[in-house]
Amino acid sequence: MRAQEPHPQLQAFMEETEDAPAFHELPVEEVRAITADVFSVEEPESVGEVINETIDGPGGDLDVRIYLPEGDQPFPVTMFFHGGGFVSGSLDSHDEFCRRIANTVDIGVVAVEYRLAPEHPFPAAVEDAYAATEWVAESGSEYGLDTDNLAVAGDSAGGNLAAVVSQMARDRNGPSIAHQVLLYPPVSADQDWDSMEENGQGYFITTEDLAWFDDKYFEDEIDQMNVYASPLLTADLSDLPPATLVTGGFDPLRDEGIAYAERLKEAGVEVSHYHYDDVIHAFVQMAAAPFEFDPSQEALADIGADLESALK
């Protein structure tokens, strides 16, 4: 299930950050500042074009960022929902990662600046993610996007949103989604997983951090039982898009991600489950500068191959 120790490159990262305060010990604004700083890039990778757009969202203006690679339009498109526990993260925090996806797969990427908790608790992020996906399906062709080849993707909290948007599109007869990419997603209200015990301390994100994020995201505990908050609770997972699901051996969210992959398979959904036994939470984003960790690069290549197969 996991190696004896995290990959050496990731261990070095943890040693550099081990003296930093835990997320759950900090005010929300400091958590947001740390998230922005950790993944900031001085010289982002070049893409063909970046378009910042503001669309009508369920709660007012909703910012999206469209990444187009070099080449002939229209491009297949992947929605991207950033991680950050529904509390932090932004278009900027995941900018370099989106550029990498656009160039790796030669597709368009649309990142979404969904509303954050605690100012905007559940279901604000869900509503924004789905509304942005509907907008791309309806209007993306105006921006050089092939909306007949549409995928959704996200890391951590964004992986939850990608899974939920896939379910909502099925339930509401909404946009046709060709593929879903779920990177170590939180998908369960249940915290009684072995990986929570094994990996709850010392591996970048802790069980206390996860509880803190949940406390900010949910105004009422009953909301955690909503299938659009905890998609593992959905009774019927059939007729969902084929999925790429990534889990890590030293991630507290490991086991619920594995359980979701198995549930999807049991429902007849095609699943590519990539489990990297020597990595920590959020490792895929570390494929981009300034980290460029080897296991992260490997995962990015696997994700890219699946998206290329699904969309081209």
Side-chain angles (χ1 to χ4, degrees):
M1 186 63 71
R2 69 174 192 173
Q4 289 187 341
E5 298 288 344
H7 189 280
Q9 291 174 327
L10 296 168
Q11 278 190 290
F13 167 78
M14 289 188 297
E15 289 170 2
E16 291 174 3
T17 58
E18 66 180 353
D19 292 331
F23 291 129
H24 69 274
E25 298 173 340
L26 298 172
V28 167
E29 289 305 322
E30 287 192 39
V31 172
R32 291 173 180 168
I34 290 170
T35 302
D37 181 64
V38 167
F39 298 110
S40 64
V41 176
E42 291 185 6
E43 297 183 9
E45 182 169 307
S46 177
V47 296
E49 186 176 6
V50 177
I51 304 168
N52 289 297
E53 187 63 272
T54 300
I55 66 175
D56 292 332
D61 288 347
L62 180 60
D63 291 334
V64 298
R65 183 172 294 169
I66 303 165
Y67 301 83
L68 301 175
E70 299 282 357
D72 297 330
Q73 301 177 1
F75 296 103
V77 56
T78 294
M79 305 296 301
F80 184 78
F81 311 117
H82 66 76
F86 303 104
V87 171
S88 65
S90 66
L91 295 178
D92 292 336
S93 68
H94 287 63
D95 177 74
E96 179 71 5
F97 184 75
C98 290
R99 291 168 181 266
R100 284 288 184 97
I101 290 290
N103 286 336
T104 297
V105 193
D106 199 31
I107 60 173
V109 176
V110 179
V112 183
E113 184 95 312
Y114 57 84
R115 288 171 289 169
L116 297 176
E119 298 92 336
H120 305 284
F122 174 85
V126 172
E127 293 172 344
D128 287 354
Y130 187 72
T133 304
E134 285 190 311
W135 177 81
V136 168
E138 295 167 0
S139 304
S141 59
E142 301 172 17
Y143 298 85
L145 301 172
D146 176 7
T147 57
D148 290 332
N149 288 289
L150 170 66
V152 295
D155 70 311
S156 194
N160 170 285
L161 293 176
V164 168
V165 166
S166 297
Q167 291 194 20
M168 294 175 75
R170 177 200 64 177
D171 298 344
R172 300 179 180 184
N173 196 27
S176 177
I177 297 174
H179 202 77
Q180 53 179 321
V181 177
L182 316 178
L183 310 182
Y184 27 81
V187 291
S188 170
D190 183 9
Q191 300 300 303
D192 189 23
W193 301 96
D194 288 346
S195 58
M196 289 286 187
E197 178 69 24
E198 293 174 13
N199 303 324
Q201 301 292 327
Y203 301 110
F204 182 56
I205 193 166
T206 69
T207 51
E208 289 89 353
D209 292 335
L210 294 172
W212 183 85
F213 286 125
D214 281 350
D215 182 63
K216 298 293 183 286
Y217 186 46
F218 298 109
E219 281 191 309
D220 194 317
E221 285 188 16
I222 193 64
D223 288 336
Q224 297 185 58
M225 305 306 293
N226 189 310
V227 295
Y228 293 154
S230 300
L232 187 61
L233 296 176
T234 301
D236 181 8
L237 294 178
S238 63
D239 299 320
L240 290 171
T244 296
L245 202 148
V246 171
T247 53
F250 289 87
D251 188 348
L253 300 177
R254 179 193 70 205
D255 289 353
E256 61 193 86
I258 293 172
Y260 195 63
E262 292 303 315
R263 283 282 318 282
L264 288 171
K265 291 176 185 178
E266 291 167 3
V269 177
E270 182 181 345
V271 178
S272 296
H273 175 206
Y274 298 100
H275 179 73
Y276 305 88
D277 67 356
D278 59 353
V279 301
I280 60 176
H281 189 73
F283 83 101
V284 177
Q285 195 181 348
M286 299 174 190
F291 308 104
E292 299 183 327
F293 295 150
D294 292 340
S296 310
Q297 300 277 13
E298 178 186 348
L300 183 64
D302 289 336
I303 295 161
D306 282 2
L307 281 172
E308 186 166 13
S309 177
L311 297 177
K312 296 184 178 182

